[in-house]
Amino acid sequence: MAMRAEAFHVQPLSLTPSPLRSTEQNLQLQEATESLSRRKIIGQLSSLVMFPILTGATPALAQSEEAYVRTPSPNDKFKFSYTVTPPPSFAPGNKPLKTHLDEINFSIPDVRGYTLGVTVDPVRIASIKDFGTPEQVAARVVTAEVNRDGVFQVTLAKDPVEDSAGCYDIEYISDGKRGKKRFATRIYIQDGFLYVLTVQSKEAEFDEAREKEVQACIKSFRPL
């Protein structure tokens, strides 16, 4: 039975690799937990989805609706690539401190509360289905969010789904001290890498026009 939109009040999961640690530390933790049950390892995904998105302005490199393509350089140890088309006027900018193997944020200069982030991390599983069903993964993402400091309630905005491209789409609303925010996430696992796209918007500004451009952005995101 599909998970219907509802509020979650659940207990924290056990300790798993976190975006607050370095990639090397995450890999060491993954090795140490390799013998644990699949259910415990699933907790890693919820931590990776909930990476902090910068809300400040970023350098205005391009303000047209163009595809961003990430490809490896000859000297890169890890070979991965993906493409995404950000909403109009979004410009890319890197975080001062990296907490993933690779990550980038996009936002509209001088506009707060509407951001896009993409992270990439190595994983030891071959398929997103090894993490669980869309409903199981959504429950863990919601668990991670509701246990963040200052968050009062988290509600699924839509039923989580598996897209025909082989990824999971999860959309939820987080209500806390800093206001009510809408998160839309797309998750892939391909060739040993976990790709996570997250779009964040103030719920009060998430109108029909914004929803349309967010959905277009999400559907454009895919590994290459």
Side-chain angles (χ1 to χ4, degrees):
M1 180 180 296
M3 178 186 297
R4 296 298 171 186
E6 55 182 309
F8 283 80
H9 301 280
V10 286
Q11 297 301 314
L13 297 177
S14 57
L15 181 63
T16 52
S18 165
L20 299 181
R21 304 185 183 91
S22 67
T23 298
E24 181 179 355
Q25 289 172 316
N26 277 342
L27 288 172
Q28 290 172 348
L29 276 176
Q30 285 178 325
E31 275 188 348
T33 59
E34 197 170 19
S35 62
L36 295 178
S37 68
R38 181 178 300 170
R39 182 178 60 84
K40 290 184 179 179
I41 296 176
I42 287 174
Q44 179 190 0
L45 179 61
S46 59
S47 295
L48 289 170
V49 171
M50 290 314 306
F51 74 98
I53 300 178
L54 291 181
T55 56
T58 54
L61 301 183
Q63 295 192 8
S64 60
E65 192 173 358
E66 299 177 353
Y68 171 84
V69 180
R70 173 67 164 91
T71 55
S73 68
N75 296 326
D76 284 346
K77 178 181 178 181
F78 295 94
K79 305 296 183 182
F80 61 87
S81 58
Y82 66 85
T83 181
V84 62
T85 302
S89 299
F90 270 55
N94 289 308
K95 290 174 54 181
L97 178 64
K98 286 183 60 176
T99 53
H100 296 270
L101 172 65
D102 188 77
E103 57 189 298
I104 189 169
N105 293 308
F106 298 81
S107 64
I108 302 174
D110 302 321
V111 174
R112 298 181 64 85
Y114 187 26
T115 56
L116 159 67
V118 178
T119 65
V120 181
D121 283 283
V123 291
R124 299 179 182 276
I125 63 174
S127 169
I128 184 66
K129 294 181 180 179
D130 291 337
F131 275 128
T133 65
E135 292 82 7
Q136 289 171 332
V137 173
R140 286 163 174 83
V141 171
V142 168
T143 298
E145 174 70 7
V146 80
N147 283 291
R148 293 178 67 195
D149 184 45
V151 175
F152 308 139
Q153 186 180 59
V154 182
T155 305
L156 280 174
K158 299 178 180 178
D159 290 343
V161 297
E162 179 179 2
D163 188 83
S164 59
C167 56
Y168 288 176
D169 291 341
I170 301 168
E171 192 168 324
Y172 58 95
I173 300 167
S174 177
D175 190 5
K177 292 180 180 179
R178 297 184 178 181
K180 189 174 290 188
K181 301 175 183 178
R182 173 80 62 122
F183 292 87
T185 298
R186 171 161 282 199
I187 307 163
Y188 281 96
I189 289 180
Q190 181 171 302
D191 298 329
F193 292 99
L194 171 64
Y195 298 83
V196 180
L197 174 145
T198 303
V199 181
Q200 173 184 310
S201 169
K202 295 178 182 179
E203 177 64 15
E205 298 174 358
F206 198 78
D207 56 14
E208 184 176 348
R210 178 162 293 187
E211 180 178 17
K212 183 177 180 180
E213 67 182 25
V214 167
Q215 289 302 313
C217 171
I218 288 174
K219 292 184 182 302
S220 75
F221 177 58
R222 59 184 176 85
L224 298 175

